[in-house]
Amino acid sequence: LLFDLIYFLSMTRFTAQFTVTGPDRPITASVGGEAVLPCHLSPRISAQSMEVRWVRSQHSAVVHLYQDGQDRYENQMFEYQGRTELLKDHITNGSVSLRIRDIQPSDEGQYTCLFQSLTFFQDASMLLQVEGLGSGPDISVEGHQDGGIKVVCRSSGWYPQPEAQWRDLQGQLLPSASENISREANGLFQAEIAILITEDPLSLLRRLQAQPVPGPKQRCWGCSFPWHLDSLYLGQMAGRGGRDLLRHKPCAAPRGQSPARAGQRSAQLDVTLDPNTANPYLILSGDRKCVTHRDEHQDLPDNPERFDTMAVVLGAEGFTGGRHYWEVEVGEKNIWTLGVCREDVSRKGHILFVPENGYWTIWQHADQLMANTSPTTFLPVSVRPRRLGIFLDYEAGEISFYNVTDRSHLFTFTNTFSGVLRPYFNPEYNKGGTNMFPLIICPVPAQAGGSLCP
């Protein structure tokens, strides 16, 4: 009888032995996301009656505990409370995974999965790596310094600690005026890097970019954020200092040369409205800088240039090349369309204002901003634009829109342009409210003492 008992216990101990297997490589998770740490028994026997304990480096530091057929939270580490879940769908096959939600930088490190039966225990370890890819760059012009213009790029939400560099599009490293990388209270890193521009800023357009690069601990491969200088509103033209960056001599055309040809050499800043194209319901100011939609039809000649159905007026200037920028004050008006169109677009009857028909425009309606693509592209904005910046780069085939109010990029159309392009204005109309407010091309001439709109 004693022999039989010894034999039974030895066989029970033998058959109850197992190994624990985890992943053969680190698990990577993003800040704010979730991680799933897998672990299973070999052979694949049931772990339903076992104790499964997930711990950090010290076995007493409990991340999650499964005991007596249920999850136990009495001794769970405070920082994991409410964030863990043991996935038990395959526990009868000896497989369990730990899900950790709302990943934080402090979650990075080694984890141990421990299985224990009545007679045997075994564990396996694995590494969790955390990465934060950071926010989009916030680039600003911060005045003059040492004979140049100081441009600062900021980004936050990085983990591990990144390095930051300025490079041109050929990949050449550019010297930084200053660099500051600091850790925030949430454990993530924020980076600030500045460069001093001493050459003509226009020569840097479409060349300069800021870029965080992998540092000694950085694991977020390829997480660069190229940001061209023309995305600063051409030097953040909303501010006087920024506007001075790209202020040039007036684009007056030499004798025998059209304004469009003269505009190829520098940014055209003096846009006016063409009365010959204006819909009869549109009222233009005397200086042709302001347009208002009124509920009254004017008796105007129906010439071929005029929009007869749609409430549109074009800019008098035509562009066949070069870079051109203008700003339009929309103020409290909550319905309007602005952009660029081809000279040869249809102007009679109802028109679909999409790129296929030669129109590159964005549309504000109530609280919704949209790019008139096919299908429509909805543009999320945190601050409703009160002034819009429009930048045409003819050779690059780009028409970009900027919210001058909060200095943000809204949308960029890309195309291959040919022929003449002209600024497009549509004040739209709904009776009453703010919809009768004008669209004003900025800056309003000083002698006007404000708006000249009737």
Side-chain angles (χ1 to χ4, degrees):
L1 179 62
L2 180 61
F3 176 81
D4 290 340
L5 179 61
I6 294 173
Y7 177 78
F8 173 78
L9 291 175
S10 64
M11 288 300 294
T12 302
R13 179 176 178 83
F14 176 78
T15 56
Q17 290 185 357
F18 49 80
T19 59
V20 180
T21 304
D24 58 1
R25 63 187 63 188
I27 302 294
T28 301
S30 298
V31 172
E34 65 177 39
V36 176
L37 308 181
C39 201
H40 68 268
L41 298 177
S42 182
R44 291 187 175 273
I45 59 177
S46 176
Q48 201 164 14
S49 60
M50 296 185 187
E51 176 182 303
V52 183
R53 182 184 297 260
W54 286 85
V55 298
R56 294 296 299 262
S57 55
Q58 300 296 324
H59 282 197
S60 60
V62 177
V63 176
H64 194 99
L65 176 62
Y66 171 82
Q67 189 179 58
D68 299 328
Q70 59 184 340
D71 297 304
R72 307 295 293 267
Y73 298 101
E74 297 91 330
N75 299 315
Q76 186 180 40
M77 297 170 65
F78 175 79
E79 53 266 39
Y80 289 96
Q81 291 180 8
R83 296 199 296 125
T84 63
E85 178 187 3
L86 192 67
L87 305 180
K88 301 185 285 287
D89 290 348
H90 303 286
I91 194 170
T92 55
N93 292 325
S95 178
V96 296
S97 298
L98 179 68
R99 174 182 286 148
I100 306 175
R101 294 181 290 270
D102 189 21
I103 290 295
Q104 305 167 11
S106 58
D107 294 333
E108 182 170 85
Q110 181 173 295
Y111 290 75
T112 298
C113 172
L114 187 149
F115 286 77
Q116 181 172 342
S117 67
L118 292 175
T119 58
F120 189 75
F121 73 90
Q122 186 64 267
D123 62 32
S125 296
M126 63 205 71
L127 181 64
L128 174 62
Q129 295 179 337
V130 176
E131 64 179 28
L133 299 186
S135 63
D138 178 14
I139 302 183
S140 59
V141 177
E142 301 199 351
H144 297 266
Q145 178 180 315
D146 301 329
I149 299 295
K150 184 180 180 181
V151 179
V152 180
C153 177
R154 297 179 178 89
S155 181
S156 60
W158 289 93
Y159 189 86
Q161 179 175 338
E163 294 178 355
Q165 297 176 348
W166 286 99
R167 292 180 179 271
D168 63 21
L169 293 183
Q170 286 70 47
Q172 298 299 311
L173 184 65
L174 300 174
S176 301
S178 64
E179 178 183 337
N180 180 34
I181 298 178
S182 58
R183 195 161 192 165
E184 301 171 276
N186 59 6
L188 303 178
F189 291 88
Q190 60 180 1
E192 176 181 304
I193 184 170
I195 190 170
L196 201 62
I197 301 175
T198 56
E199 60 183 288
D200 177 8
L202 277 179
S203 69
L204 285 180
L205 285 176
R206 309 194 57 75
R207 188 173 73 84
L208 188 61
Q209 64 178 349
Q211 178 181 33
V213 299
K217 292 184 58 184
Q218 183 64 280
R219 290 188 298 268
C220 43
W221 303 282
C223 51
S224 62
F225 50 85
W227 195 261
H228 301 99
L229 190 60
D230 61 357
S231 294
L232 308 184
Y233 302 141
L234 302 178
Q236 291 195 349
M237 297 179 115
R240 177 180 175 84
R243 187 175 274 115
D244 288 341
L245 267 175
L246 298 180
R247 189 175 296 283
H248 291 265
K249 294 180 180 180
C251 296
R255 293 181 182 178
Q257 186 176 359
S258 70
R261 295 293 299 173
Q264 291 181 353
R265 296 194 307 275
S266 59
Q268 172 72 31
L269 301 177
D270 188 22
V271 172
T272 57
L273 301 171
D274 180 1
N276 293 324
T277 66
N279 178 278
Y281 285 95
L282 300 183
I283 308 296
L284 308 188
S285 62
D287 65 350
R288 296 191 231 167
K289 292 283 189 177
C290 176
V291 56
T292 307
H293 194 304
R294 293 293 173 87
D295 192 14
E296 181 181 345
H297 188 278
Q298 301 174 86
D299 186 14
L300 298 174
D302 186 19
N303 55 55
E305 299 89 359
R306 191 177 309 283
F307 288 84
D308 64 348
T309 303
M310 311 303 285
V312 175
V313 59
L314 300 184
E317 294 71 29
F319 307 125
T320 58
R323 300 185 183 100
H324 311 276
Y325 178 84
W326 60 98
E327 291 181 0
V328 181
E329 186 79 32
V330 298
E332 297 296 330
K333 189 173 177 62
N334 63 10
I335 181 168
W336 47 262
T337 307
L338 291 167
V340 177
C341 71
R342 289 200 312 259
E343 171 88 80
D344 60 357
V345 294
S346 172
R347 307 186 189 193
K348 305 299 181 181
H350 289 278
I351 304 164
L352 187 60
F353 299 117
V354 293
E356 293 81 353
N357 293 338
Y359 295 88
W360 297 272
T361 61
I362 65 173
W363 178 38
Q364 170 80 42
H365 185 273
D367 293 325
Q368 184 64 63
L369 191 65
M370 295 158 274
N372 288 320
T373 53
S374 299
T376 300
T377 301
F378 291 89
L379 307 178
V381 293
S382 56
V383 177
R384 198 174 101 181
R386 295 175 182 272
R387 180 178 294 193
L388 202 75
I390 303 168
F391 176 55
L392 163 65
D393 189 331
Y394 194 103
E395 283 74 20
E398 293 182 350
I399 299 172
S400 299
F401 296 83
Y402 301 94
N403 183 350
V404 180
T405 306
D406 68 351
R407 304 182 178 184
S408 62
H409 171 257
L410 296 173
F411 190 76
T412 295
F413 288 94
T414 58
N415 209 303
T416 300
F417 301 132
S418 61
V420 178
L421 301 183
R422 296 176 67 175
Y424 167 103
F425 305 84
N426 187 339
E428 303 279 358
Y429 183 72
N430 280 339
K431 287 188 177 181
T434 65
N435 300 313
M436 298 180 68
F437 288 179
L439 297 176
I440 306 171
I441 302 172
C442 304
V444 176
Q447 65 269 25
S451 170
L452 289 182
C453 297

